[in-house]
Amino acid sequence: MKRTYLYLIAAGFLAFACGGKPTETTTEVEEVTVQEPEWISLFDGQSFNGWSKYGGGEVGKAWKIQDGAIYLDAKNKANWQEGDGGDIVTNEEFENYHLQVEWKIAPNGNSGIIFFVHEAPEFGYPWMTGPEMQVLDNDGHPDAKIVSHRAGDLYDLIVSAEETVKPVGEWNLAEIIAKEGNLELHLNGVMVVSTTMWTPEWEALVAKSKFKDMPGFGKYKKGKIALQDHGDEVWFRNIRIKKL
């Protein structure tokens, strides 16, 4: 974005106003370029560079790269070995940002995008610290019967203003915009949740939720982004972030 500022040295006007002779007015134009934040890819479509298993170590073998997407191969979970699955997180922590993720879910599937995740030994799962934007088959998974557990909801905290999720098997665009406590969730181009974190109202929301007895939940103002292993097939692609 380029902005132009004009600086006028009105010596001539002032001289004329004071009864003197008009003098030449000088106009100086200075161009100032303001750079917009750039999008940063968090997934290169070919590898798990920048990602790890929550709690440490490499991404489990149940997570695969399929057609340029991160895929949880839950069809074969009966054959999983210990450590094959599990939630995965970015290696980097983020504070103020605009995150975009495309996702699709298998029939009857459940997953989530969890943010402001604090990774520490005392927290066994990302959802013990980070709020979640729900990923769900609303028509098939039993969790959809619970208000605030449907696709696009701020899980167990705030119900979507409207449902814009696409049919199971189709790609959805999820966006999480967090800046200085202001939080917006967008699904397929529509803002479905808007709230402010770390306020008395936020604490009241948490106190009425299933997270009320988790002392670290929703407290951290900087954290990792997690993709949830809920035991169902799920795909994520075009994962990118803009630092605000």
Side-chain angles (χ1 to χ4, degrees):
M1 177 185 297
K2 181 178 288 186
R3 299 176 182 172
T4 303
Y5 299 89
L6 300 179
Y7 300 92
L8 301 179
I9 305 173
F13 174 78
L14 291 175
F16 181 79
C18 294
K21 294 182 179 180
T23 59
E24 183 178 350
T25 300
T26 303
T27 301
E28 180 181 337
V29 178
E30 179 181 345
E31 292 189 354
V32 179
T33 301
V34 179
Q35 296 293 335
E36 291 288 341
E38 295 182 357
W39 287 103
I40 302 167
S41 176
L42 297 182
F43 171 54
D44 61 16
Q46 300 177 339
S47 72
F48 287 108
N49 290 339
W51 294 83
S52 57
K53 184 176 181 178
Y54 180 80
E58 295 183 355
V59 172
K61 294 181 180 179
W63 289 98
K64 300 177 179 179
I65 309 296
Q66 183 183 84
D67 299 326
I70 294 175
Y71 165 56
L72 180 64
D73 185 11
K75 288 187 302 184
N76 301 310
K77 61 184 175 183
N79 300 320
W80 286 3
Q81 303 297 314
E82 184 177 357
D84 282 356
D87 303 323
I88 62 175
V89 293
T90 56
N91 293 338
E92 186 176 348
E93 292 186 330
F94 301 96
E95 189 171 4
N96 297 312
Y97 57 84
H98 182 170
L99 173 72
Q100 291 186 342
V101 184
E102 287 185 89
W103 64 263
K104 69 176 180 177
I105 194 78
N108 308 319
N110 187 343
S111 184
I113 304 163
I114 309 174
F115 50 100
F116 289 130
V117 171
H118 183 71
E119 193 172 23
E122 63 266 33
F123 302 120
Y125 298 93
W127 46 260
M128 296 181 75
T129 57
E132 174 186 344
M133 186 177 186
Q134 176 74 309
V135 169
L136 197 78
D137 171 13
N138 281 355
D139 295 326
H141 196 281
D143 223 26
K145 297 177 181 179
I146 304 173
V147 175
S148 75
H149 285 202
R150 296 171 67 83
D153 291 349
L154 184 60
Y155 181 81
D156 210 61
L157 294 169
I158 300 178
V159 179
S160 296
E162 61 178 291
E163 291 195 357
T164 59
V165 66
K166 295 182 180 180
V168 65
E170 293 189 18
W171 288 102
N172 295 270
L173 173 61
E175 299 179 77
I176 299 172
I177 304 173
K179 186 173 183 181
E180 298 175 354
N182 297 310
L183 175 67
E184 294 180 5
L185 305 185
H186 296 239
L187 187 62
N188 295 319
V190 178
M191 185 173 70
V192 294
V193 171
S194 178
T195 190
T196 304
M197 301 179 69
W198 314 309
T199 64
E201 292 77 13
W202 172 258
E203 297 299 332
L205 275 176
V206 175
K208 295 177 182 178
S209 74
K210 65 188 296 182
F211 308 107
K212 61 184 178 181
D213 296 323
M214 300 179 189
F217 179 82
K219 302 289 187 183
Y220 294 93
K221 299 182 179 181
K222 184 177 183 180
K224 299 185 175 186
I225 295 160
L227 304 179
Q228 187 180 46
D229 168 9
H230 206 281
D232 299 316
E233 285 183 280
V234 65
W235 295 257
F236 300 95
R237 72 180 185 186
N238 294 331
I239 308 172
R240 64 180 189 165
I241 199 165
K242 182 188 293 184
K243 296 180 181 180
L244 302 178

